Amino acid sequence: MIEIDNTPSTDALVALIPCIAPSAARSRILRAHYDNCIKASLRSLIHECSKIFSTLCPEQATLQSQWSRLTPRMHYLHHKLQSAMRAQCLTNVQHTLSQIGEEFAVCKCVPDFAPVASLGTADWERFVQLEGTRLSSTEQGRNDTPCPIAAHDLAACERHIYETLKTLRIVDGELHAEMREHVDEIKLFNSAVTQGFSDTRTMGAIFIRPPCVGSNVPLYFYEQLIHEMSHLQLHCLFSIDPLIDGDRYRLMASPIRSDPRPLFGVLHATYVSAKLANAFFSLYQRSKDETTLHYLAQIMDELAIGISSLRESSLTSSGRALVNSMTNLALRIAQDGAWSSFDLFTPTLHRRTRTWVTPDRFNRLRGTQSIKPSI
């Protein structure tokens, strides 16, 4: 059991990095540490603002009181204040300081379930919408803008999401607790390109597209919720240690993309694959469902690709420890050979197409020597 410490030492934080297994206590510490980093940054930024303006802004007094967990919008306002100060736009700085003071008034305790809503028109949601449009263009070469979903679609998705979260609580209570620690808001959107995304500048919010017609809806949301939560969790790890020792933009084989991806993205994709592999293995152990096993087979091969790429990469000691932890997880799951009988080229309805896959890039877990832990 991990002991909770309100002010963990650097060594204690670093010790949390290679623990890939779900842990409510670990996630609580990680999220608190990330929020504390942003709070410290906000205090520093507002202190600098007090030197610019003739009077001390009232928001600074608010920052000395006990804070609740920061909302996604507060993380966005932190980013907005940084940008305004870099641009030396005093009008925007003053306006953002006022917004920060207002947002602190609504910071609240964590709900049992993150609220589910459509992508809206609030300032931080418009920011995310623009980022989604930009990424669709730069990453996919397509013009696509995430947009709100209809009310009847929202109601149906909300029911499915809450049922999925209840299932997760039964299957793996620690992973469910991780979801509660890292995810504060679930936003649904329509898009022709993007399936889901999250951003440190709106930490705590995840954005998911509804499943396609005919998809296995429970498994779709099971995967997407854990996928986006895992990205947020890894960002918390990056706030403790850089993990990458060298060029984070060096291109290499990616677990889930046909084109080479930067090391930073490959580490994210591999971490997500490891969390998903653990989650689907736990689900399969309970259900013994063939569809779940098929998902697990694909995810395991994606994890093997990521591990193979990362083992050839320049990582910090904590980064290497994290890869070893993911490797050991893969080896443990690989001991159950039921998943290995699936034709990994058979597509599932909602997962990424695998038509680009060549045999030499997949089935790596059939020979476990390719993913033995590094020394």
Side-chain angles (χ1 to χ4, degrees):
M1 179 68 70
I2 300 174
E3 296 296 325
I4 300 297
D5 185 347
N6 291 330
T7 56
S9 66
T10 300
D11 288 344
L13 288 169
V14 169
L16 298 176
I17 291 176
C19 306
I20 194 70
S23 166
R26 171 181 180 258
S27 292
R28 195 173 303 120
I29 295 171
L30 291 176
R31 177 61 193 271
H33 173 74
Y34 189 91
D35 273 9
N36 285 339
C37 290
I38 301 302
K39 292 171 187 177
S41 177
L42 275 167
R43 286 193 177 98
S44 176
L45 291 172
I46 293 175
H47 178 71
E48 290 301 311
C49 289
S50 69
K51 299 176 182 178
I52 299 172
F53 301 112
S54 56
T55 58
L56 188 68
C57 54
E59 288 78 13
Q60 189 165 15
T62 305
L63 297 179
Q64 306 307 318
S65 63
Q66 186 66 35
W67 289 354
S68 301
R69 190 156 83 184
L70 300 185
T71 63
R73 183 170 185 252
M74 185 62 79
H75 285 280
Y76 161 71
L77 291 174
H78 169 253
H79 162 71
K80 184 180 176 184
L81 181 59
Q82 284 181 317
S83 299
M85 292 180 72
R86 289 192 190 107
Q88 298 183 340
C89 180
L90 296 186
T91 301
N92 285 348
V93 168
Q94 286 183 302
H95 179 62
T96 305
L97 285 171
S98 176
Q99 290 178 307
I100 288 172
E102 294 167 359
E103 186 64 18
F104 271 115
V106 301
C107 285
K108 51 187 180 298
C109 296
V110 184
D112 284 338
F113 289 114
V116 179
S118 173
L119 179 66
T121 58
D123 50 2
W124 67 276
E125 294 173 270
R126 289 197 302 270
F127 166 77
V128 168
Q129 188 178 41
L130 291 173
E131 277 297 289
T133 302
R134 183 185 68 81
L135 289 174
S136 293
S137 176
T138 58
E139 297 284 323
Q140 306 285 348
R142 298 176 62 180
N143 293 323
D144 181 66
T145 299
C147 58
I149 67 171
H152 64 277
D153 292 331
L154 173 61
C157 288
E158 184 176 26
R159 288 194 300 273
H160 286 301
I161 287 172
Y162 286 149
E163 285 302 316
T164 300
L165 290 172
K166 290 176 184 177
T167 299
L168 183 59
R169 175 180 276 172
I170 295 169
V171 171
D172 191 333
E174 292 295 297
L175 184 56
H176 178 272
E178 287 193 335
M179 188 75 65
R180 188 170 181 267
E181 287 300 327
H182 291 294
V183 179
D184 299 322
E185 297 193 41
I186 301 169
K187 295 290 184 176
L188 299 173
F189 66 94
N190 281 323
S191 170
V193 177
T194 307
Q195 192 161 269
F197 58 93
S198 52
D199 194 308
T200 54
R201 293 167 293 184
T202 55
M203 176 64 80
I206 61 174
F207 302 84
I208 300 174
R209 186 181 72 190
C212 300
V213 175
S215 295
N216 186 313
V217 177
L219 290 184
Y220 175 84
F221 281 122
Y222 190 81
E223 177 175 0
Q224 293 306 311
L225 289 167
I226 296 168
H227 181 122
E228 296 305 332
M229 181 278 292
S230 301
H231 281 303
L232 296 180
Q233 189 175 77
L234 183 57
H235 283 304
C236 292
L237 297 183
F238 274 114
S239 71
I240 299 171
D241 186 272
L243 302 180
I244 296 171
D245 183 18
D247 183 6
R248 66 190 314 189
Y249 299 106
R250 183 168 71 85
L251 298 179
M252 60 184 59
S254 168
I256 58 177
R257 289 279 295 265
S258 59
D259 52 329
R261 303 297 297 157
L263 172 55
F264 178 77
V266 171
L267 181 53
H268 259 279
T270 308
Y271 187 83
V272 167
S273 295
K275 298 292 286 188
L276 285 172
N278 186 74
F280 272 87
F281 186 59
S282 297
L283 182 62
Y284 173 69
Q285 286 182 311
R286 271 188 170 269
S287 68
K288 300 300 181 182
D289 174 67
E290 292 292 294
T291 303
T292 302
L293 192 59
H294 192 178
Y295 279 48
L296 176 61
Q298 292 189 344
I299 293 165
M300 283 288 281
D301 264 344
E302 291 164 359
L303 175 57
I305 288 176
I307 290 172
S308 180
S309 290
L310 293 176
R311 281 170 52 81
E312 305 300 323
S313 304
S314 180
L315 304 173
T316 66
S317 59
S318 292
R320 291 192 298 273
L322 180 60
V323 173
N324 279 340
S325 179
M326 294 189 285
T327 301
N328 290 330
L329 169 69
L331 290 170
R332 177 174 62 84
I333 297 175
Q335 292 175 2
D336 185 322
W339 58 270
S340 63
S341 63
F342 278 92
D343 176 4
L344 300 174
F345 297 91
T346 300
T348 53
L349 282 170
H350 85 272
R351 298 198 86 242
R352 295 160 293 276
T353 178
R354 299 163 70 86
T355 56
W356 52 268
V357 176
T358 56
D360 64 310
R361 289 196 61 192
F362 275 79
N363 299 325
R364 295 177 188 237
L365 285 175
R366 313 270 171 122
T368 56
Q369 69 276 5
S370 65
I371 59 163
K372 286 181 180 178
S374 57
I375 303 300

